[in-house]
């Protein structure tokens, strides 16, 4: 008797094959089994997806000539039903094929090793039991706040939003919660996610030091993109077999196969790195919450500056309004009474025109460097869409039709609204006061490092040496290992002033930093991207958390955060001064609610690339026409196509179209049906090179 087996494969994105193909087999392979199957003249890795028909009738040969499954990957238990459902959900939610998501979630070596190589790989002993070398660390007694939070986590189902200041002891809460789970069940597994690879070693070391003495060095494996294919396979197998009790990784780890999963921790849950920016553009944070619910695992989202989505989901009940579906747990105090830095604002309107460093700030920097303290200078050079600005009257390029700023497009010198598409040529002079000097906000930082070196040329370190300024950003760290090397220099005290983008604000434990300065944060206040203020606030709070980590340094010199701004009284800076995230969140959520922006609505973007802007937009606008009737019915808003902020990349023109709806369900329903229209339109739009849907986009 032969069975019909449906196998999920990675088929090319636009092949029109949804992912599953039917093969024939003498064996009724269980769903989740990894197999090799022929496709054309190649052999591909696939996952058996659904239970094959068991009766002989159902399995009777069809008219089609089916090909047979070539082989089974021996020695690997089938992937669980939960895992397959997670993949299926991710594919349908983010509008990709199931096969693509499934195969991308598996280590590449499963695909690349031949049957013989696989047999050899299996023979190698998976386990290399190594005794833990380090000494068992002293485990601190929980603070009262930690104890209360841990009791809540034990007593409730979650998901939990752990809202804790930097240094409030969140990591200690994760460790304790993990400990409880490990002890309660010999097969329990824990998934810990961090936003970026360069933050994994620190956390990994802390987890290993805590758990290896009891559960062995191999109790923890990591998963991130800088592992070699062989390491990745090894760690994946350890998680899949249940041998690794803890998996620590970046966003890709959300798809780790973990049969005993009982706890998921998402550290720095607000971090945009959790959103995948190519292929299936999934949010690992959102999938983790889904996965927790699916598998009955507790989920802890932790942050000092939660995403406004998570903050909103964790709102307490108020009046007739029920509470959100997350449980908010707060830890407001810093362990050891460490004070947060004093925030000082410099009003740049009172500085001479084109000042980069105000004199007050320079004086403070000189003084501290002379005493041997370190300084962080934070630049906000991230690719915010440029908004035009008048230096005289403060006019900015608002859209008259939206609560958004129009974006300056250099190429054709226009101002365009990325919401509604409203476009005008760039005005010759300020429309409000006639001033001719209007320019994009947030410029003038290119030569900043050199400029600062000149300004501080006469300053000496305590040892009489000239000071050293270093710069860390995407350009200076392009080479592998360069970031680590530069950070090590900062830690070693060889650098006095560190200039950098948001990379320097995250998580690093610089002991001698007592002053952090944000030079030009205003661009984000008036960005066309409504999430820019949220990112700025969290960046500044993070950066402030870098100062004064060391108690002895704090005694010598109270730490400070300086903000230079043309809008020092902006509510964002007011909230920053008070270290008051809830006040900031409340103000932002009010604005978002008024403008019906997320989390009060749901968005998707379709992006198209073509040789010409006209062709890209024509495709999108035709798609808009095709979807119009259904969109109307479902109350989904389809906006006209606009060029992307970075309109042309390598001579490819890029355009996008925004889709908005107050119901997530309706939006999903619309997208699912509209996909077919988009696929069908391709043949009529041959100039379109590619298109893709981004659900819950992070940048518009
Ligand atoms: P967060 O993750 O919120 O930034 P951490 O968990 O890293 O905070 O804690 C900050 C510092 O306080 C760390 O050095 C940690 O070892 C210490 N710490 C945390 N909890 C306690 C505690 N209960 N008793 C003493 N020290 C603690
Ligand atoms: Zn003006
Ligand atoms: Zn507009």
């Amino acid at each position: 008797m032969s069975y019909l087996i449906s196998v999920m494969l990675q088929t090319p994105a636009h092949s029109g094959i949804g992912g599953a193909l039917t093969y024939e087999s003498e064996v009724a392979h269980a769903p989740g089994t990894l197999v090799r199957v022929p496709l054309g003249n190649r052999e591909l890795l696939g996952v058996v997806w659904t239970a094959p028909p068991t009766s002989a009738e159902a399995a009777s040969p069809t008219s089609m000539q089916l090909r047979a499954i070539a082989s089974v990957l021996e020695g690997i238990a089938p992937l669980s039903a939960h895992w397959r459902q997670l993949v299926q959900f991710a594919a349908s939610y983010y509008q990709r094929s199931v096969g693509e998501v499934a195969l991308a979630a598996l280590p590449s070596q499963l695909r690349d090793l031949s049957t013989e190589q696989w047999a050899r790989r299996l023979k190698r002993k998976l386990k290399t039991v190594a005794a833990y070398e380090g000494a068992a660390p002293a485990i601190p007694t929980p603070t009262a706040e930690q104890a209360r939070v841990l009791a809540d986590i034990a007593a409730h189902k979650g998901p939990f939003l752990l809202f804790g200041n930097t240094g409030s002891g969140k990591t200690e809460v994760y460790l304790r919660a993990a400990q409880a789970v490990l002890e309660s069940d010999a097969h329990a597994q824990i998934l810990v996610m961090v936003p970026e690879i360069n933050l994994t070693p620190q956390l990994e070391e802390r987890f290993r030091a805590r758990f290896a003495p009891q559960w062995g060095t191999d109790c923890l494996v990591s998963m991130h993109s800088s592992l070699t294919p062989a390491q990745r396979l090894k760690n994946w197998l350890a998680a899949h077999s249940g041998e690794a009790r803890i998996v620590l990784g970046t966003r890709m780890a959300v798809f780790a196969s973990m049969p005993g999963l009982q706890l998921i921790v998402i550290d720095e849950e607000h971090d945009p790195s959790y959103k995948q920016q190519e292929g299936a553009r999934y949010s690992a944070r959102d999938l983790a919450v889904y996965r927790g619910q699916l598998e009955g695992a507790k989920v802890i989202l932790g942050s000092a500056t939660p995403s406004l989505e998570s903050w909103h989901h964790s709102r307490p009940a108020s009046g007739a309004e029920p509470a959100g579906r997350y449980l908010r747990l707060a830890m407001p105090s810093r362990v050891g009474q460490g004070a947060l830095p004093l925030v000082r604002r410099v009003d740049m309107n009172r500085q001479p025109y084109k000042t980069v460093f105000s004199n007050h700030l320079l004086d403070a920097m000189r003084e501290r460097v002379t005493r041997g303290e370190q300084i962080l200078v934070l630049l906000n050079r991230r690719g915010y869409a440029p908004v035009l600005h008048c230096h005289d009257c403060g006019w900015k390029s608002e859209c008259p039709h939206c609560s958004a700023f129009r974006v300056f497009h250099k190429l054709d010198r226009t101002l365009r609204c990325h919401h509604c598409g409203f476009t005008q040529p760039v005005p010759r002079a300020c429309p409000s006061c006639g001033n001719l000097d209007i320019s994009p906000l947030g410029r003038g930082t290119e030569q900043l490092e050199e400029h600062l070196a000149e300004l501080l040329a006469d300053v000496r370190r305590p040892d009489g040496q000239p000071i050293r300024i270093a710069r860390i950003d995407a350009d200076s760290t392009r080479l592998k290992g360069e970031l680590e090397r530069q950070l090590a220099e900062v830690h070693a005290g060889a650098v006095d002033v560190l200039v950098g983008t948001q990379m320097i604000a995250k998580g690093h434990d610089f002991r001698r930093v007592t002053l952090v300065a944000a030079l030009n944060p205003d661009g984000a206040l008036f960005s066309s991207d409504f999430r820019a203020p949220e990112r700025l606030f969290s960046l500044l709070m993070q950066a402030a958390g870098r100062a004064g980590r060391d108690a002895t340094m704090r005694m010598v010199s109270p730490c400070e955060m300086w903000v230079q701004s043309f809008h020092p009284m902006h509510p964002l800076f007011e909230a920053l001064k008070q270290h008051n995230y809830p006040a900031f969140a409340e103000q932002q959520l009010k604005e978002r609610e008024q403008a019906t922006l997320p989390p009060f609505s749901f968005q998707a973007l379709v992006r198209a690339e073509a040789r010409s802007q006209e062709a890209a937009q024509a495709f999108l606008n035709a798609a808009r026409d095709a979807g119009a009737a259904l969109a109307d019915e479902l109350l989904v808003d389809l906006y006209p196509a606009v060029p992307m902020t970075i309109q042309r990349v390598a001579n490819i023109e890029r355009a996008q179209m925004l889709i908005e709806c107050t119901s997530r369900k309706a939006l999903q329903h619309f997208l699912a049906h509209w996909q077919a229209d988009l696929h069908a339109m391709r043949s009529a739009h041959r100039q379109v090179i590619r298109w893709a849907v981004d659900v819950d986009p992070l940048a518009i």
Side-chain angles (χ1 to χ4, degrees):
M1 187 167 72
S2 75
Y3 294 88
L4 302 183
I5 311 272
S6 115
V7 178
M8 210 51 90
L9 300 176
Q10 183 154 34
T11 48
H14 292 292
S15 64
I17 306 172
L21 290 178
T22 305
Y23 288 87
E24 212 171 30
S25 167
E26 297 299 310
V27 184
H29 297 296
T33 305
L34 288 165
V35 292
R36 278 181 215 291
V37 294
L39 183 72
N41 50 17
R42 292 181 305 158
E43 207 173 271
L44 298 182
L45 177 70
V47 183
V48 173
W49 209 250
T50 44
T54 45
S55 76
E57 298 91 78
S60 68
T62 57
S63 52
M64 262 197 307
Q65 192 59 51
L66 292 176
R67 300 178 76 176
I69 286 179
S71 62
V72 171
L73 265 77
E74 299 295 342
I76 303 187
L79 291 152
S80 70
H82 281 150
W83 186 86
R84 280 175 284 126
Q85 196 176 332
L86 173 69
V87 164
Q88 191 119 23
F89 171 80
S92 108
Y93 189 85
Y94 294 103
Q95 309 292 320
R96 307 295 293 200
S97 81
V98 179
E100 177 192 1
V101 177
L103 275 294
L106 297 172
S108 61
Q109 281 208 333
L110 287 179
R111 207 166 56 213
D112 299 340
L113 295 183
S114 68
T115 311
E116 298 76 55
Q117 285 170 316
W118 179 247
R120 248 178 284 137
R121 174 72 183 74
L122 266 189
K123 276 203 207 105
R124 218 186 307 152
K125 253 171 89 74
L126 286 178
K127 203 159 178 179
T128 45
V129 186
Y132 183 68
E133 302 276 317
I139 299 176
T141 315
T143 61
E145 283 179 3
Q146 285 169 334
R148 203 193 54 233
V149 159
L150 284 162
D152 278 335
I153 291 173
H156 296 93
K157 220 169 125 241
F160 306 96
L161 177 66
L162 178 55
F163 167 53
N165 243 319
T166 41
S168 63
K170 291 186 294 298
T171 311
E172 186 58 36
V173 169
Y174 307 152
L175 288 162
R176 287 261 169 185
Q179 175 100 21
V181 169
L182 291 178
E183 280 170 356
S184 71
D185 174 349
H187 300 290
Q189 290 179 298
I190 295 155
L191 172 62
V192 181
M193 297 209 291
V194 287
E196 282 184 38
I197 298 175
N198 58 35
L199 297 180
T200 50
Q202 295 173 31
L203 201 62
E204 190 176 333
E205 202 29 62
R206 233 169 127 183
F207 269 78
R208 204 181 292 283
R210 179 68 60 93
F211 297 122
Q214 192 174 351
W215 281 285
T217 318
D218 297 331
C219 72
L220 183 149
V221 297
S222 61
M223 275 186 198
H224 51 76
S225 58
S226 66
L227 296 178
T228 65
Q231 285 169 328
R232 190 161 167 223
L233 176 63
K234 180 166 178 266
N235 293 356
W236 186 87
L237 287 171
H240 179 63
S241 68
E243 194 184 306
R245 308 289 304 278
I246 304 168
V247 173
L248 197 148
T250 51
R251 61 174 176 261
M252 60 156 61
V254 75
F255 289 111
S257 166
M258 299 177 71
L261 185 64
Q262 288 196 15
L263 174 68
I264 307 177
V265 171
I266 301 128
D267 194 24
E268 311 288 1
E269 67 88 32
H270 63 278
D271 198 294
S273 313
Y274 282 121
K275 181 89 154 92
Q276 168 78 15
Q277 292 298 359
E278 58 190 34
R281 291 168 170 252
Y282 62 86
S283 156
R285 175 195 64 212
D286 295 351
L287 283 182
V289 172
Y290 172 85
R291 186 172 185 180
Q293 199 164 32
L294 178 70
E295 307 208 21
K298 289 196 177 180
V299 177
I300 306 174
L301 309 164
S303 177
T305 52
S307 64
L308 288 173
E309 281 82 359
S310 297
W311 190 253
H312 181 65
H313 289 322
S314 65
R315 67 196 175 278
S318 100
E321 288 282 306
R325 60 201 173 88
Y326 297 177
L327 186 62
R328 191 185 295 168
L329 308 171
M331 295 204 301
S333 319
R334 267 184 152 180
V335 176
Q337 309 302 309
L340 287 162
L342 175 70
V343 176
R344 310 187 61 163
R345 292 167 288 180
V346 179
D347 185 349
M348 294 306 277
N349 297 297
R350 302 198 188 170
Q351 298 294 321
Y353 184 48
K354 291 202 165 154
T355 298
V356 181
F357 289 90
S358 65
N359 280 328
H360 287 317
L361 175 58
L362 275 177
D363 288 345
M365 289 172 72
R366 286 200 179 97
E367 200 179 300
R368 287 175 191 254
V369 170
T370 314
R371 284 202 300 257
E373 297 165 24
Q374 289 177 312
I375 291 167
L376 290 188
V377 177
L378 190 64
L379 296 182
N380 198 21
R381 271 191 37 195
R382 218 179 154 123
Y384 287 126
V387 166
L388 279 196
H389 165 76
C390 167
H391 290 279
D392 270 7
C393 75
W395 170 86
K396 297 192 179 60
S397 51
E398 277 116 345
C399 174
H401 308 298
C402 302
S403 68
F405 291 92
R406 281 178 300 162
V407 171
F408 172 51
H409 282 260
K410 214 172 171 179
L411 223 57
D412 55 359
R413 296 200 58 82
T414 54
L415 288 177
R416 286 171 192 263
C417 174
H418 280 199
H419 266 258
C420 72
F422 181 65
T423 304
Q424 281 180 322
V426 167
R428 235 175 252 287
C430 169
S432 146
C433 76
N435 173 22
L436 289 174
D437 188 20
I438 50 175
S439 59
L441 268 180
R443 278 270 192 86
T445 58
E446 298 296 317
Q447 313 295 307
L448 198 122
E449 189 187 342
E450 289 93 330
H451 183 50
L452 187 61
E454 282 164 27
L455 291 171
L456 298 181
D458 56 331
V459 183
R460 292 287 173 273
R461 301 162 48 125
D463 59 9
Q465 295 295 309
I467 66 160
R468 264 193 70 185
I469 302 176
R471 175 167 184 169
I472 292 189
D473 59 19
D475 299 329
S476 77
T477 55
R478 193 154 294 146
L479 291 175
K480 198 173 154 63
E482 198 48 26
L483 178 64
E484 291 71 19
R485 197 189 60 76
Q486 293 187 10
L487 289 175
E489 284 199 348
V490 181
H491 283 290
V495 168
D496 305 292
V497 182
L498 179 60
V499 179
T501 51
Q502 84 277 359
M503 290 170 96
I504 63 172
K506 279 185 192 168
H508 307 295
D509 199 0
F510 301 129
R511 306 308 293 190
R512 301 188 64 81
V513 169
T514 65
L515 189 153
V516 177
L519 283 197
N520 53 348
D522 290 353
L525 299 178
F526 307 102
S527 166
S528 65
D529 182 348
F530 66 89
R531 282 194 176 84
E534 176 182 354
R535 289 207 189 118
L536 175 65
F537 189 80
S538 103
L539 176 65
L540 295 180
M541 286 280 276
Q542 284 264 343
R546 293 312 104 214
R549 315 251 324 159
D550 193 296
T552 44
M553 290 299 287
R554 280 201 305 266
M555 307 249 271
V556 183
S557 177
C559 46
E560 292 179 354
M561 162 143 216
W562 287 58
V563 176
Q564 295 192 154
S565 170
F566 285 98
H567 305 270
M569 303 313 281
H570 192 284
L572 189 150
F573 298 132
E574 287 287 335
L576 180 73
K577 187 162 177 63
Q578 321 283 338
H579 302 285
N580 192 345
Y581 170 83
F584 168 75
E586 194 182 330
Q587 178 259 334
Q588 283 287 308
L589 282 171
K590 211 172 277 163
E591 280 185 17
R592 297 240 190 130
E593 187 165 23
Q594 275 159 10
T596 329
L597 288 168
F600 303 96
S601 69
F602 300 91
Q603 298 181 326
L605 275 181
V606 202
R607 300 196 177 92
E609 299 184 358
R611 288 283 166 211
S612 75
Q613 185 61 223
E614 293 70 37
Q617 290 194 25
F619 172 78
L620 293 176
N621 285 326
R624 184 169 177 242
D625 293 342
L630 182 61
D632 252 15
E633 191 184 312
L634 292 167
L635 301 177
V636 169
D637 287 328
L638 300 176
Y639 289 88
V642 295
M644 285 177 63
T645 308
I646 302 171
Q647 182 178 328
R648 192 165 65 190
V649 173
N651 284 321
I652 304 285
E653 289 281 339
R654 316 188 310 162
Q656 67 181 34
M657 188 170 110
L658 179 65
I659 305 155
E660 228 171 40
C661 183
T662 52
S663 152
R664 173 173 263 161
K665 223 173 129 192
L667 179 63
Q668 278 287 316
H669 184 84
F670 172 77
L671 292 174
H673 284 78
W674 193 45
Q675 277 281 332
D677 292 337
L678 284 163
H679 279 286
M681 279 169 37
R682 269 216 114 203
S683 53
H685 293 261
R686 297 231 169 258
Q687 281 201 61
V688 172
I689 298 161
R690 63 177 79 85
W691 59 269
V693 181
D694 186 352
V695 182
D696 304 331
L698 277 190
I700 292 179

